[in-house]
Amino acid sequence: MRKQTVYTLFIIAFVLSFFVTPLGDYSKIVLNRLFATSPTIIQAENRGSIADYDWRLKDAEWDFFSFEKAKGKVVFINFWASWHLPSKAQLNDIQTLYDKYEGRVAFYIITNEERAPVELFMKKNGYTFPVTYQIVGDPSPLTLLKPPGSYILDKKGAVVVHQNAIADWDNDTVFTLLDTLLEEK
């Protein structure tokens, strides 16, 4: 075979590996992480606020609780699914963010999946952030975003970040933003 033919076959095999092998999923996750950018921070004069904190959710033990307990806190909300590739790509960053701000920022990592696949996924990947389960059909004070959508709220309920796509949550811009929001009265 000619050198060009071998090269072409190699490229075709490489591209096909993204679609038909487990290596492909891993590679797509790496590419998503590589091209993720820092979330866009909404300028103070353009920020909207949530009207209330009336939102019923379920915790990891499948017990109901109210979003009301987030009132007066800096809140990080992420909508995700264990089967959703862009969600998977940013969960390592979210884990890092949780490790850094646990106890100071209220984390709501929300899924609408059943408990069993989520618990298996969390255990398999070693994630320790709290999982929150959405109650499908219940009203919420925010627009429910498609995975991997995220919000950051300040202590007064203003929407500081409204991210509709994958983002890099493990960077100085995000850390500085959260530190600033935590210092505000």
Side-chain angles (χ1 to χ4, degrees):
M1 275 199 267
R2 291 190 348 218
K3 204 182 231 184
Q4 183 65 29
T5 304
V6 171
Y7 178 72
T8 302
L9 289 173
F10 175 76
I11 294 297
I12 290 169
F14 178 74
V15 170
L16 283 175
S17 75
F18 278 87
F19 299 101
V20 296
T21 68
L23 173 66
D25 279 350
Y26 177 76
S27 300
K28 287 183 243 180
I29 288 171
V30 169
L31 287 173
N32 269 279
R33 286 181 185 154
L34 183 66
F35 291 109
T37 59
S38 189
T40 304
I41 300 168
I42 301 169
Q43 296 298 319
E45 61 273 6
N46 297 327
R47 293 178 185 165
S49 280
I50 62 172
D52 61 47
Y53 286 79
D54 186 25
W55 190 11
R56 244 177 18 131
L57 299 160
K58 287 184 180 180
D59 63 18
E61 284 74 43
W62 215 243
D63 294 325
F64 290 100
F65 72 95
S66 174
F67 186 63
E68 185 78 30
K69 69 182 190 177
K71 195 171 193 173
K73 298 178 181 177
V74 175
V75 181
F76 177 83
I77 300 170
N78 176 264
F79 296 92
W80 71 288
S82 63
W83 52 266
H84 189 253
L85 195 112
S87 291
K88 290 181 195 180
Q90 71 177 7
L91 289 178
N92 284 344
D93 287 356
I94 291 172
Q95 180 66 54
T96 301
L97 197 64
Y98 175 72
D99 291 343
K100 186 171 176 73
Y101 290 96
E102 179 183 6
R104 297 185 297 149
V105 171
F107 284 85
Y108 291 84
I109 317 302
I110 301 173
T111 185
N112 63 3
E113 293 180 86
E114 291 296 321
R115 207 172 148 187
V118 170
E119 288 174 347
L120 181 65
F121 178 83
M122 295 289 289
K123 184 177 180 179
K124 177 183 171 191
N125 291 286
Y127 295 132
T128 61
F129 53 77
V131 175
T132 303
Y133 294 91
Q134 173 190 339
I135 302 167
V136 177
D138 268 18
S140 103
L142 295 161
T143 301
L144 300 176
L145 301 176
K146 291 181 182 176
S150 300
Y151 289 105
I152 294 179
L153 307 177
D154 69 11
K155 292 177 182 176
K156 296 175 184 167
V159 178
V160 179
V161 171
H162 176 189
Q163 186 73 22
N164 285 315
I166 187 172
D168 172 13
W169 298 104
D170 182 10
N171 67 63
D172 289 338
T173 302
V174 174
F175 301 154
T176 301
L177 171 65
L178 289 176
D179 291 339
T180 301
L181 293 175
L182 287 166
E183 290 174 7
E184 291 177 355
K185 297 286 180 193

